[in-house]
Amino acid sequence: MLLTDVLIRLFRSDNKAAFIKRNPFDFIAAIPLDSIFQFARLIRLFRLIRVALLLKRTPIYTILRTNGLMKTLAAVGILIFLSAIPVTYLEPGVETFMDGVWWSVVTATTVGYGDIAPVTTTGRGIAVLLMVFGIGLIGMVTSSIATYFLDKKEDPVDNDTVQFIQSQLQQYETLSAYEYDRLIYMLSSLKDEQTAEKKKL
């Protein structure tokens, strides 16, 4: 499987020599004869880490950090897997754990295919819990995406003074009396500047 993947990518590359130089560990890991070379597959882990770091620069990562969406996704994901455990044992229509996970996902997303339906009181209670959290998650995803695009439309703050004041206000609980006085003075200066600009207009 890995050998096929490497050969296809080599065949599709325009510069095959450069491809081999860039991916030597992929070729070593693809050798099926010696199990020692299979350790080279660990290099793929570093590639996954690099991809994860690159994702931090994408809008997806920003959206996941908005409104605590990442924590909500993690909580609902854990709830889905935990809910699948009792459902697998209690519901007669659920034969395997993967069927239980499938039912939990379908219920949490409120799709409701109907291929598996709870018949016990406990199963129905779990279904209600999954529905409530699923609807909440859908609302969180929608609001996080909307917040991301609305924030992008706002004009960026160019004034260094305003940026400094915003950063200080984010940690207002740790500010000293002197720092409060300085912020008040800076706000007063900004107010005077704004008044002066309005008078010019």
Side-chain angles (χ1 to χ4, degrees):
M1 189 72 176
L2 181 61
L3 180 61
T4 306
D5 173 57
V6 172
L7 291 176
I8 290 172
R9 287 190 292 132
L10 175 64
F11 180 74
R12 289 183 177 178
S13 65
D14 296 328
N15 189 341
K16 295 182 176 27
F19 177 82
I20 293 169
K21 286 180 182 178
R22 280 196 316 267
N23 304 287
F25 290 105
D26 287 354
F27 285 95
I28 294 171
I31 299 172
L33 300 175
D34 195 348
S35 61
I36 295 173
F37 289 111
Q38 301 302 318
F39 285 109
R41 292 185 181 182
L42 291 174
I43 301 301
R44 292 209 161 202
L45 178 63
F46 295 106
R47 182 174 287 178
L48 287 174
I49 293 170
R50 187 173 64 182
V51 169
L53 291 173
L54 288 173
L55 280 175
K56 284 190 172 183
R57 301 175 188 172
T58 63
I60 296 170
Y61 183 75
T62 308
I63 291 169
L64 286 173
R65 291 185 61 194
T66 305
N67 300 333
L69 178 60
M70 191 179 292
K71 292 178 182 177
T72 308
L73 278 169
V76 173
I78 291 168
L79 179 65
I80 284 171
F81 278 96
L82 290 178
S83 300
I85 297 169
V87 166
T88 303
Y89 289 103
L90 296 174
E91 293 297 328
V94 181
E95 297 178 358
T96 64
F97 177 72
M98 289 313 297
D99 285 344
V101 172
W102 167 251
W103 173 82
S104 296
V105 170
V106 168
T107 306
T109 55
T110 66
V111 173
Y113 285 120
D115 54 344
I116 302 172
V119 293
T120 64
T121 305
T122 306
R124 289 174 178 171
I126 293 170
V128 170
L129 185 69
L130 284 170
M131 288 177 209
V132 169
F133 278 91
I135 292 167
L137 177 62
I138 292 167
M140 285 282 292
V141 170
T142 306
S143 66
S144 296
I145 293 171
T147 302
Y148 170 77
F149 285 110
L150 287 173
D151 287 346
K152 282 197 75 174
K153 286 182 179 180
E154 293 177 1
D155 293 327
V157 179
D158 295 328
N159 195 321
D160 291 336
T161 306
V162 175
Q163 288 181 350
F164 176 76
I165 291 171
Q166 287 176 341
S167 67
Q168 291 295 301
L169 288 175
Q170 286 176 354
Q171 50 185 356
Y172 70 93
E173 294 175 347
T174 62
L175 296 178
S176 64
Y178 169 75
E179 288 170 328
Y180 273 114
D181 292 338
R182 186 172 59 171
L183 284 176
I184 292 168
Y185 174 75
M186 294 171 97
L187 285 169
S188 177
S189 299
L190 284 174
K191 181 183 176 183
D192 293 340
E193 287 178 15
Q194 191 176 33
T195 305
E197 286 178 6
K198 285 181 179 178
K199 284 181 179 178
K200 288 179 184 178
L201 297 173

